[in-house]
Amino acid sequence: MPATPSQQGVDAVSERTQNRAQKSERRLAAQLAAQKAAEAKRRRQAWAGGLAGVAVVAVLITVFVTIGQNDDDSKEQAAGTPSASATAPAADAPPAPQLPAGADPALGTKPTVAAGKGELKKLTVTPLIKGTGPAVQKGQTITTNYVGVFYKDGKEFDSSWNAGQPASFAIGVGQVIPGWDQGLVGVTVGSRVQLDIPAELAYGNDPSSGRPTGPLRFVVDVLAAQ
């Protein structure tokens, strides 16, 4: 029995309703699939970011470990290598004096000077090392190393050794104390002599002068004369 027009209309409406429902289901399914895909992408990005962070941390740890090892190696090398100060002379150490040809090597070392004995009444010149050079003449400029001490107690008050270089001056013309002018003329170059000088031939006995007073003892090395 063929359908009536009213039934055909109902069937058409039912079919359209069914088609819309199917389309809605498909859209919903597509939206759910898109959401799942987005969530999966976010998870992959999060994992990738986490792995990248772990990689950065690993690189930093490797760098720190390498730097620490290099520092330890440097410290070990420094500990095993003698310092420059241990192998080289100190920068402020006085240079060795230039000795005349054929001079006694002892002139390269500062002498130890002791106190005198008894009362000193006159200038006394005592040769300690005999030089082989020419004799010092009045008016020449001589180069010397010397140590000066108080005759009575041996306390040092002056020394060219402490200054780090020899002293040069004219001899026999009043540039130095009379005890030197008188005691060093005639001494041969390369000699070491001891001068025991009474106060009147040194700086006198007046302490207000600021100079060493009383009898003095000098040990003088004559290094050159010209």
Side-chain angles (χ1 to χ4, degrees):
M1 181 176 178
T4 63
S6 62
Q7 287 178 337
Q8 291 176 351
V10 171
D11 291 340
V13 171
S14 176
E15 185 178 354
R16 287 195 296 271
T17 301
Q18 185 176 3
N19 289 337
R20 285 196 295 269
Q22 289 176 352
K23 291 180 179 179
S24 297
E25 289 177 357
R26 287 194 295 270
R27 284 197 298 269
L28 181 60
Q31 290 175 356
L32 291 174
Q35 290 178 356
K36 290 181 179 179
E39 290 178 358
K41 184 178 180 180
R42 285 195 295 270
R43 285 196 296 271
R44 288 195 298 270
Q45 291 175 345
W47 274 102
L51 291 175
V54 170
V56 170
V57 172
V59 170
L60 292 176
I61 291 174
T62 302
V63 170
F64 289 143
V65 170
T66 302
I67 292 174
Q69 290 176 346
N70 290 338
D71 288 344
D72 291 341
D73 293 342
S74 298
K75 290 178 182 178
E76 290 177 359
Q77 291 176 357
T81 303
S83 64
S85 60
T87 57
D92 56 355
Q98 184 67 38
L99 303 183
D104 191 319
L107 296 184
T109 304
K110 180 181 178 180
T112 299
V113 185
K117 296 180 179 179
E119 185 178 359
L120 183 62
K121 297 181 178 181
K122 63 177 182 177
L123 174 64
T124 304
V125 181
T126 305
L128 301 178
I129 296 174
K130 179 66 174 178
T132 58
V136 173
Q137 299 179 18
K138 183 178 179 180
Q140 284 186 312
T141 296
I142 65 173
T143 300
T144 69
N145 265 326
Y146 66 89
V147 178
V149 304
F150 291 101
Y151 182 83
K152 292 182 178 180
D153 59 14
K155 183 178 180 180
E156 182 179 311
F157 61 82
D158 192 14
S159 173
S160 65
W161 295 89
N162 297 341
Q165 59 182 2
S168 296
F169 46 84
I171 194 71
V173 293
Q175 286 192 5
V176 292
I177 57 176
W180 278 50
D181 271 344
Q182 297 176 25
L184 293 178
V185 172
V187 173
T188 55
V189 173
S191 295
R192 172 174 287 177
V193 297
Q194 178 177 287
L195 303 178
D196 291 329
I197 306 174
E200 60 270 19
L201 296 179
Y203 300 105
N205 290 304
D206 183 6
S208 64
S209 66
R211 296 178 176 182
T213 58
L216 307 176
R217 169 171 282 181
F218 288 89
V219 171
V220 183
D221 298 342
V222 180
L223 304 178
Q226 55 184 8

mmCIF file of all heavy atoms in Angstrom, residues 76-111:
data_model
loop_
_atom_site.group_PDB
_atom_site.id
_atom_site.type_symbol
_atom_site.label_atom_id
_atom_site.label_comp_id
_atom_site.label_asym_id
_atom_site.label_seq_id
_atom_site.Cartn_x
_atom_site.Cartn_y
_atom_site.Cartn_z
ATOM 1 N N GLU A 76 97.974 20.967 41.071
ATOM 2 C CA GLU A 76 98.995 19.934 41.202
ATOM 3 C C GLU A 76 100.275 20.344 40.509
ATOM 4 O O GLU A 76 101.381 20.138 41.014
ATOM 5 C CB GLU A 76 98.470 18.630 40.600
ATOM 6 C CG GLU A 76 97.345 17.997 41.429
ATOM 7 C CD GLU A 76 96.792 16.755 40.768
ATOM 8 O OE1 GLU A 76 97.292 16.420 39.669
ATOM 9 O OE2 GLU A 76 95.888 16.127 41.333
ATOM 10 N N GLN A 77 100.130 20.957 39.308
ATOM 11 C CA GLN A 77 101.326 21.410 38.604
ATOM 12 C C GLN A 77 102.033 22.491 39.384
ATOM 13 O O GLN A 77 103.259 22.514 39.480
ATOM 14 C CB GLN A 77 100.940 21.923 37.224
ATOM 15 C CG GLN A 77 100.469 20.820 36.282
ATOM 16 C CD GLN A 77 99.998 21.370 34.956
ATOM 17 O OE1 GLN A 77 99.979 22.590 34.763
ATOM 18 N NE2 GLN A 77 99.621 20.499 34.045
ATOM 19 N N ALA A 78 101.244 23.417 39.972
ATOM 20 C CA ALA A 78 101.854 24.489 40.763
ATOM 21 C C ALA A 78 102.563 23.933 41.974
ATOM 22 O O ALA A 78 103.627 24.389 42.368
ATOM 23 C CB ALA A 78 100.785 25.497 41.188
ATOM 24 N N ALA A 79 101.950 22.886 42.590
ATOM 25 C CA ALA A 79 102.567 22.303 43.782
ATOM 26 C C ALA A 79 103.838 21.556 43.425
ATOM 27 O O ALA A 79 104.780 21.496 44.206
ATOM 28 C CB ALA A 79 101.574 21.357 44.469
ATOM 29 N N GLY A 80 103.884 20.993 42.215
ATOM 30 C CA GLY A 80 105.046 20.216 41.832
ATOM 31 C C GLY A 80 106.126 21.015 41.156
ATOM 32 O O GLY A 80 107.200 20.499 40.889
ATOM 33 N N THR A 81 105.856 22.287 40.858
ATOM 34 C CA THR A 81 106.832 23.123 40.172
ATOM 35 C C THR A 81 107.471 24.090 41.158
ATOM 36 O O THR A 81 106.771 24.817 41.842
ATOM 37 C CB THR A 81 106.149 23.923 39.048
ATOM 38 O OG1 THR A 81 105.522 22.999 38.167
ATOM 39 C CG2 THR A 81 107.164 24.756 38.291
ATOM 40 N N PRO A 82 108.785 24.150 41.281
ATOM 41 C CA PRO A 82 109.417 25.101 42.197
ATOM 42 C C PRO A 82 109.072 26.519 41.802
ATOM 43 O O PRO A 82 108.975 26.848 40.629
ATOM 44 C CB PRO A 82 110.926 24.817 42.013
ATOM 45 C CG PRO A 82 110.990 23.470 41.388
ATOM 46 C CD PRO A 82 109.747 23.307 40.577
ATOM 47 N N SER A 83 108.860 27.359 42.799
ATOM 48 C CA SER A 83 108.552 28.758 42.523
ATOM 49 C C SER A 83 109.788 29.477 42.021
ATOM 50 O O SER A 83 110.916 29.042 42.227
ATOM 51 C CB SER A 83 108.046 29.443 43.799
ATOM 52 O OG SER A 83 109.072 29.459 44.772
ATOM 53 N N ALA A 84 109.548 30.605 41.338
ATOM 54 C CA ALA A 84 110.671 31.381 40.807
ATOM 55 C C ALA A 84 111.561 31.881 41.925
ATOM 56 O O ALA A 84 112.771 31.935 41.798
ATOM 57 C CB ALA A 84 110.139 32.554 39.981
ATOM 58 N N SER A 85 110.929 32.223 43.084
ATOM 59 C CA SER A 85 111.727 32.752 44.188
ATOM 60 C C SER A 85 112.622 31.679 44.799
ATOM 61 O O SER A 85 113.611 31.991 45.441
ATOM 62 C CB SER A 85 110.805 33.335 45.265
ATOM 63 O OG SER A 85 109.938 32.329 45.771
ATOM 64 N N ALA A 86 112.246 30.376 44.600
ATOM 65 C CA ALA A 86 113.056 29.307 45.160
ATOM 66 C C ALA A 86 114.296 29.039 44.317
ATOM 67 O O ALA A 86 115.281 28.520 44.808
ATOM 68 C CB ALA A 86 112.231 28.027 45.278
ATOM 69 N N THR A 87 114.226 29.387 43.004
ATOM 70 C CA THR A 87 115.346 29.076 42.127
ATOM 71 C C THR A 87 116.145 30.303 41.718
ATOM 72 O O THR A 87 117.280 30.187 41.294
ATOM 73 C CB THR A 87 114.829 28.383 40.860
ATOM 74 O OG1 THR A 87 113.876 29.230 40.222
ATOM 75 C CG2 THR A 87 114.162 27.061 41.195
ATOM 76 N N ALA A 88 115.514 31.480 41.820
ATOM 77 C CA ALA A 88 116.191 32.707 41.414
ATOM 78 C C ALA A 88 116.506 33.552 42.634
ATOM 79 O O ALA A 88 115.800 33.496 43.629
ATOM 80 C CB ALA A 88 115.307 33.503 40.443
ATOM 81 N N PRO A 89 117.563 34.339 42.615
ATOM 82 C CA PRO A 89 117.880 35.206 43.745
ATOM 83 C C PRO A 89 116.812 36.268 43.925
ATOM 84 O O PRO A 89 116.149 36.670 42.977
ATOM 85 C CB PRO A 89 119.229 35.846 43.338
ATOM 86 C CG PRO A 89 119.277 35.704 41.844
ATOM 87 C CD PRO A 89 118.541 34.456 41.525
ATOM 88 N N ALA A 90 116.626 36.707 45.152
ATOM 89 C CA ALA A 90 115.629 37.722 45.439
ATOM 90 C C ALA A 90 115.952 38.996 44.689
ATOM 91 O O ALA A 90 117.113 39.360 44.505
ATOM 92 C CB ALA A 90 115.575 37.993 46.941
ATOM 93 N N ALA A 91 114.874 39.676 44.253
ATOM 94 C CA ALA A 91 115.057 40.882 43.440
ATOM 95 C C ALA A 91 115.783 41.976 44.218
ATOM 96 O O ALA A 91 116.494 42.796 43.644
ATOM 97 C CB ALA A 91 113.706 41.379 42.941
ATOM 98 N N ASP A 92 115.585 42.014 45.560
ATOM 99 C CA ASP A 92 116.196 43.067 46.351
ATOM 100 C C ASP A 92 117.540 42.649 46.954
ATOM 101 O O ASP A 92 118.095 43.354 47.789
ATOM 102 C CB ASP A 92 115.252 43.510 47.477
ATOM 103 C CG ASP A 92 114.832 42.351 48.373
ATOM 104 O OD1 ASP A 92 115.197 41.194 48.066
ATOM 105 O OD2 ASP A 92 114.144 42.608 49.378
ATOM 106 N N ALA A 93 118.068 41.460 46.575
ATOM 107 C CA ALA A 93 119.356 41.021 47.100
ATOM 108 C C ALA A 93 120.467 41.883 46.504
ATOM 109 O O ALA A 93 120.481 42.159 45.304
ATOM 110 C CB ALA A 93 119.597 39.555 46.744
ATOM 111 N N PRO A 94 121.434 42.346 47.334
ATOM 112 C CA PRO A 94 122.521 43.170 46.812
ATOM 113 C C PRO A 94 123.336 42.407 45.773
ATOM 114 O O PRO A 94 123.636 41.229 45.956
ATOM 115 C CB PRO A 94 123.380 43.460 48.066
ATOM 116 C CG PRO A 94 122.459 43.243 49.220
ATOM 117 C CD PRO A 94 121.529 42.154 48.785
ATOM 118 N N PRO A 95 123.690 43.031 44.655
ATOM 119 C CA PRO A 95 124.495 42.346 43.651
ATOM 120 C C PRO A 95 125.905 42.100 44.158
ATOM 121 O O PRO A 95 126.421 42.842 45.002
ATOM 122 C CB PRO A 95 124.489 43.341 42.476
ATOM 123 C CG PRO A 95 124.245 44.681 43.098
ATOM 124 C CD PRO A 95 123.358 44.424 44.273
ATOM 125 N N ALA A 96 126.540 41.042 43.647
ATOM 126 C CA ALA A 96 127.918 40.759 44.035
ATOM 127 C C ALA A 96 128.828 41.859 43.489
ATOM 128 O O ALA A 96 128.641 42.332 42.364
ATOM 129 C CB ALA A 96 128.341 39.403 43.479
ATOM 130 N N PRO A 97 129.790 42.304 44.279
ATOM 131 C CA PRO A 97 130.663 43.384 43.813
ATOM 132 C C PRO A 97 131.556 42.926 42.674
ATOM 133 O O PRO A 97 131.915 41.751 42.568
ATOM 134 C CB PRO A 97 131.496 43.717 45.062
ATOM 135 C CG PRO A 97 131.473 42.462 45.878
ATOM 136 C CD PRO A 97 130.130 41.845 45.637
ATOM 137 N N GLN A 98 131.900 43.880 41.806
ATOM 138 C CA GLN A 98 132.827 43.599 40.707
ATOM 139 C C GLN A 98 134.248 43.623 41.268
ATOM 140 O O GLN A 98 134.739 44.663 41.690
ATOM 141 C CB GLN A 98 132.669 44.651 39.609
ATOM 142 C CG GLN A 98 133.515 44.392 38.379
ATOM 143 C CD GLN A 98 133.067 43.141 37.628
ATOM 144 O OE1 GLN A 98 131.887 42.871 37.528
ATOM 145 N NE2 GLN A 98 134.024 42.383 37.122
ATOM 146 N N LEU A 99 134.886 42.471 41.291
ATOM 147 C CA LEU A 99 136.218 42.372 41.888
ATOM 148 C C LEU A 99 137.285 42.635 40.843
ATOM 149 O O LEU A 99 137.117 42.327 39.658
ATOM 150 C CB LEU A 99 136.418 40.981 42.496
ATOM 151 C CG LEU A 99 135.394 40.537 43.550
ATOM 152 C CD1 LEU A 99 135.775 39.167 44.095
ATOM 153 C CD2 LEU A 99 135.287 41.556 44.674
ATOM 154 N N PRO A 100 138.420 43.205 41.267
ATOM 155 C CA PRO A 100 139.532 43.402 40.329
ATOM 156 C C PRO A 100 140.107 42.066 39.888
ATOM 157 O O PRO A 100 139.964 41.047 40.573
ATOM 158 C CB PRO A 100 140.547 44.212 41.149
ATOM 159 C CG PRO A 100 140.182 43.968 42.575
ATOM 160 C CD PRO A 100 138.711 43.744 42.607
ATOM 161 N N ALA A 101 140.764 42.071 38.734
ATOM 162 C CA ALA A 101 141.344 40.838 38.197
ATOM 163 C C ALA A 101 142.340 40.241 39.188
ATOM 164 O O ALA A 101 143.188 40.950 39.741
ATOM 165 C CB ALA A 101 142.031 41.127 36.865
ATOM 166 N N GLY A 102 142.224 38.938 39.425
ATOM 167 C CA GLY A 102 143.139 38.229 40.309
ATOM 168 C C GLY A 102 142.897 38.450 41.780
ATOM 169 O O GLY A 102 143.701 38.020 42.614
ATOM 170 N N ALA A 103 141.767 39.114 42.135
ATOM 171 C CA ALA A 103 141.492 39.405 43.549
ATOM 172 C C ALA A 103 141.060 38.150 44.285
ATOM 173 O O ALA A 103 140.541 37.196 43.696
ATOM 174 C CB ALA A 103 140.408 40.474 43.660
ATOM 175 N N ASP A 104 141.286 38.151 45.579
ATOM 176 C CA ASP A 104 140.847 37.049 46.434
ATOM 177 C C ASP A 104 139.319 36.991 46.414
ATOM 178 O O ASP A 104 138.648 37.990 46.646
ATOM 179 C CB ASP A 104 141.356 37.295 47.859
ATOM 180 C CG ASP A 104 141.185 36.076 48.756
ATOM 181 O OD1 ASP A 104 140.128 35.417 48.667
ATOM 182 O OD2 ASP A 104 142.098 35.792 49.554
ATOM 183 N N PRO A 105 138.724 35.808 46.153
ATOM 184 C CA PRO A 105 137.260 35.693 46.125
ATOM 185 C C PRO A 105 136.595 36.101 47.437
ATOM 186 O O PRO A 105 135.395 36.409 47.458
ATOM 187 C CB PRO A 105 137.027 34.206 45.837
ATOM 188 C CG PRO A 105 138.274 33.744 45.155
ATOM 189 C CD PRO A 105 139.376 34.552 45.774
ATOM 190 N N ALA A 106 137.352 36.121 48.522
ATOM 191 C CA ALA A 106 136.784 36.518 49.817
ATOM 192 C C ALA A 106 136.271 37.948 49.784
ATOM 193 O O ALA A 106 135.408 38.323 50.582
ATOM 194 C CB ALA A 106 137.828 36.363 50.916
ATOM 195 N N LEU A 107 136.780 38.772 48.852
ATOM 196 C CA LEU A 107 136.300 40.151 48.766
ATOM 197 C C LEU A 107 134.851 40.218 48.282
ATOM 198 O O LEU A 107 134.231 41.279 48.362
ATOM 199 C CB LEU A 107 137.186 40.956 47.813
ATOM 200 C CG LEU A 107 138.655 41.141 48.211
ATOM 201 C CD1 LEU A 107 139.366 42.038 47.201
ATOM 202 C CD2 LEU A 107 138.775 41.722 49.611
ATOM 203 N N GLY A 108 134.324 39.102 47.789
ATOM 204 C CA GLY A 108 132.941 39.074 47.359
ATOM 205 C C GLY A 108 131.959 38.810 48.472
ATOM 206 O O GLY A 108 130.746 38.760 48.243
ATOM 207 N N THR A 109 132.461 38.651 49.705
ATOM 208 C CA THR A 109 131.607 38.351 50.852
ATOM 209 C C THR A 109 131.797 39.403 51.934
ATOM 210 O O THR A 109 132.930 39.791 52.249
ATOM 211 C CB THR A 109 131.945 36.967 51.438
ATOM 212 O OG1 THR A 109 131.820 35.983 50.408
ATOM 213 C CG2 THR A 109 131.017 36.617 52.587
ATOM 214 N N LYS A 110 130.699 39.859 52.510
ATOM 215 C CA LYS A 110 130.763 40.857 53.580
ATOM 216 C C LYS A 110 131.511 40.286 54.786
ATOM 217 O O LYS A 110 131.185 39.195 55.266
ATOM 218 C CB LYS A 110 129.351 41.268 53.993
ATOM 219 C CG LYS A 110 129.316 42.305 55.120
ATOM 220 C CD LYS A 110 127.877 42.647 55.493
ATOM 221 C CE LYS A 110 127.827 43.644 56.652
ATOM 222 N NZ LYS A 110 126.433 43.989 57.040
ATOM 223 N N PRO A 111 132.491 41.003 55.290
ATOM 224 C CA PRO A 111 133.249 40.489 56.434
ATOM 225 C C PRO A 111 132.493 40.657 57.755
ATOM 226 O O PRO A 111 131.620 41.505 57.888
ATOM 227 C CB PRO A 111 134.513 41.358 56.422
ATOM 228 C CG PRO A 111 134.048 42.664 55.846
ATOM 229 C CD PRO A 111 133.016 42.292 54.802
#
